[in-house]
Amino acid sequence: MDDVTLARFAELAVDFGANLQPGQVVSLSGAPGKEALVRAIANRAYEKGAKFVDLAWFDPWIKRARIEHAADETLEFVPPWYGERILQLGKERGAAITLSGPVAPGLLDDLDPVRSGRDRLPAIRETGEVVGRRELNWTILPGPTPAWAELVHPGLEPAEALAKLEQQLLHVLRLDEEDPVAAWRTRADRLVSVAQVLTDRQFDALHYEGPGTDMTVGLLPGASWQAARFQTADGIPHMPNLPTEEVFTSPDPSRVDGHVTSSKPLVLIDGTVVRDLYVRFENGRAVELNSSTAQETMRTIITRDEGAARLGEVALVDNEGRIGALDTVFYDTLLDENAASHIALGRAFPFLAGDEQTAARMNESDIHIDFMIGSDQLDITGITTDGERVPVLFGGAWRI
């Protein structure tokens, strides 16, 4: 990206996505290959009055060294100051900006998958707690790297692949618009209106049916659906995902039955690629999990705690967004989950509960892993408390 594009990217992230307020501390997460974007965002944050930009850096090569050489009993150790750092940021009512996108695809593929599954860094449990309490105004955006570009566009020369990936990311971020913020507000209006309709309908369950998928997910009474616009507990609006195309809620973790097959590869936070994921649920719990890659890693992850094998999110994505129209697998959950309907194993979102009783029924876990199940062949039907079946999302088009 040239300097002008970097500046526009940073402005979208800081001013609109995170909606940084003067005097806030900013947690900025980066990784090798994203230095230019990290610096541009930090520069914009200080221009907007940040009190301090706290850089959190993740290097997957160092994680590889740990998995390869560290004592087995130490792999789940997370220094307590990592969690304290996040908790303190929440107490400070700070902001957070993260850059997604792989920097070293396949780096861990030749290592013991069980050991890889036990080390969940850079994911930190306390992040979910702080987000659940709405203490931060935060956002995640895709940060392109040459390695990521070669993964997405393997048939192109490296420079061409990077240029194409950057062009695609600028398009889905609406930075190819004269006024990207206005474009995002229009899209957000549409998503929020659908979320309100779903909230008002108060379906008892959703039925998913398509190739490799036949699953019923129970919903919680009083839980709301949300999209695009978030607000902190102190009233600061922000857009957590840029781009965002989803409408989501947290389901009843005890009422999921049937089987589901992923429609796109899942890329874990450390870059591990999980292909052809199949999960079968009984009474809310994943009782069978298979995949053609990283199978043992995923099986290890879902035994991490009681909630890791249960759902914490269901999200619906229509075909009106820009990501799916590109017909590209991006190998990045932020993008791929906003191209197709998805579900998430692990932690739910208590801020979606209508009351404390409903919040207490939501899933709790150290993990939150989204994987994509949507396609034009997937039909999603709402089931009322009276058993009426109402078409919701068929072939990627809203029917409600």
Side-chain angles (χ1 to χ4, degrees):
M1 296 184 192
D2 58 32
D3 290 344
V4 172
T5 305
L6 281 171
R8 294 189 79 220
F9 184 105
E11 187 174 334
L12 183 69
V14 174
D15 299 21
F16 180 65
N19 190 19
L20 177 67
Q21 304 297 298
Q24 282 190 301
V25 174
V26 183
S27 173
L28 175 57
S29 300
K34 304 179 190 288
E35 291 87 352
L37 279 172
V38 167
R39 292 165 188 158
I41 290 170
N43 184 75
R44 182 59 181 172
Y46 278 122
E47 287 180 343
K48 290 291 289 183
K51 180 179 181 179
F52 185 76
V53 177
D54 182 29
L55 179 60
W57 198 255
F58 175 69
D59 189 321
W61 285 271
I62 295 176
K63 174 164 181 167
R64 178 187 169 88
R66 183 190 194 192
I67 295 170
E68 191 170 12
H69 301 298
D72 191 66
E73 66 272 14
T74 69
L75 289 174
E76 295 179 16
F77 171 73
V78 177
W81 54 89
Y82 278 31
E84 290 167 8
R85 186 184 197 179
I86 297 295
L87 293 174
Q88 186 60 39
L89 183 70
K91 291 178 182 177
E92 291 271 348
R93 295 299 194 262
I97 300 172
T98 299
L99 293 172
S100 73
V103 300
L107 181 65
L108 309 181
D109 286 356
D110 63 331
L111 300 181
D112 182 340
V114 174
R115 285 173 62 87
S116 297
R118 291 179 60 195
D119 178 7
R120 298 304 307 134
L121 289 172
I124 301 172
R125 176 181 57 82
E126 289 81 0
T127 301
E129 295 179 13
V130 170
V131 168
R133 293 193 294 264
R134 298 186 297 136
E135 293 175 347
L136 305 178
N137 37 304
W138 58 279
T139 195
I140 304 175
L141 303 91
T145 64
W148 183 13
E150 291 183 42
L151 177 66
V152 177
H153 300 297
L156 300 179
E157 292 297 317
E160 292 180 82
L162 181 58
K164 183 168 184 178
L165 178 61
E166 288 182 348
Q167 182 272 325
Q168 289 178 314
L169 296 185
L170 294 176
H171 176 65
V172 299
L173 286 168
R174 289 167 168 77
L175 282 167
D176 55 359
E177 298 275 352
E178 183 176 348
D179 188 344
V181 170
W184 272 118
R185 285 176 174 155
T186 298
R187 178 57 172 159
D189 287 344
R190 168 64 168 155
L191 296 172
V192 169
S193 68
V194 172
Q196 187 60 57
V197 171
L198 286 166
T199 298
D200 292 342
R201 291 303 302 260
Q202 284 293 299
F203 289 119
D204 179 64
L206 295 177
H207 181 218
Y208 295 75
E209 190 171 22
T213 294
D214 188 352
M215 176 180 66
T216 300
V217 178
L219 302 178
L220 291 167
S224 64
W225 289 77
Q226 190 161 344
R229 297 189 182 101
F230 279 41
Q231 193 171 63
T232 69
D234 298 318
I236 301 173
H238 58 111
M239 186 173 281
N241 288 351
L242 279 171
T244 186
E245 309 287 354
E246 64 177 327
V247 179
F248 67 95
T249 192
S250 288
D252 186 337
S254 66
R255 294 197 300 136
V256 183
D257 292 280
H259 60 271
V260 62
T261 302
S262 65
S263 56
K264 292 177 180 288
L266 161 65
V267 180
L268 301 178
I269 196 169
D270 59 18
T272 299
V273 180
V274 184
R275 301 178 187 274
D276 308 310
L277 181 61
Y278 169 92
V279 185
R280 182 169 62 85
F281 293 90
E282 290 182 2
N283 298 318
R285 187 171 186 82
V287 295
E288 182 181 356
L289 185 150
N290 303 307
S291 60
S292 62
T293 64
Q295 176 175 278
E296 296 308 314
T297 300
M298 285 299 298
R299 287 178 175 177
T300 300
I301 289 171
I302 67 169
T303 62
R304 188 173 185 88
D305 55 45
E306 171 60 27
R310 299 181 183 274
L311 293 187
E313 177 188 359
V314 293
L316 309 183
V317 179
D318 65 21
N319 56 14
E320 298 175 17
R322 293 191 174 192
I323 306 171
L326 294 177
D327 195 26
T328 300
V329 177
F330 283 100
Y331 297 94
D332 176 58
T333 299
L334 172 67
L335 294 171
D336 291 332
E337 75 169 6
N338 281 291
S341 294
H342 53 276
I343 57 178
L345 293 161
R347 183 183 293 274
F349 303 116
F351 54 82
L352 298 176
D355 51 46
E356 292 184 4
Q357 184 178 6
T358 301
R361 293 175 59 186
M362 288 183 169
N363 197 24
E364 294 184 6
S365 175
D366 285 354
I367 73 163
H368 182 93
I369 297 179
D370 301 271
F371 64 97
M372 289 59 70
I373 63 174
S375 70
D376 285 344
Q377 289 75 50
L378 181 71
D379 293 334
I380 303 173
T381 301
I383 303 173
T384 69
T385 53
D386 296 329
E388 180 189 0
R389 296 177 62 86
V390 180
V392 173
L393 190 66
F394 276 48
W398 296 113
R399 296 293 184 87
I400 54 172

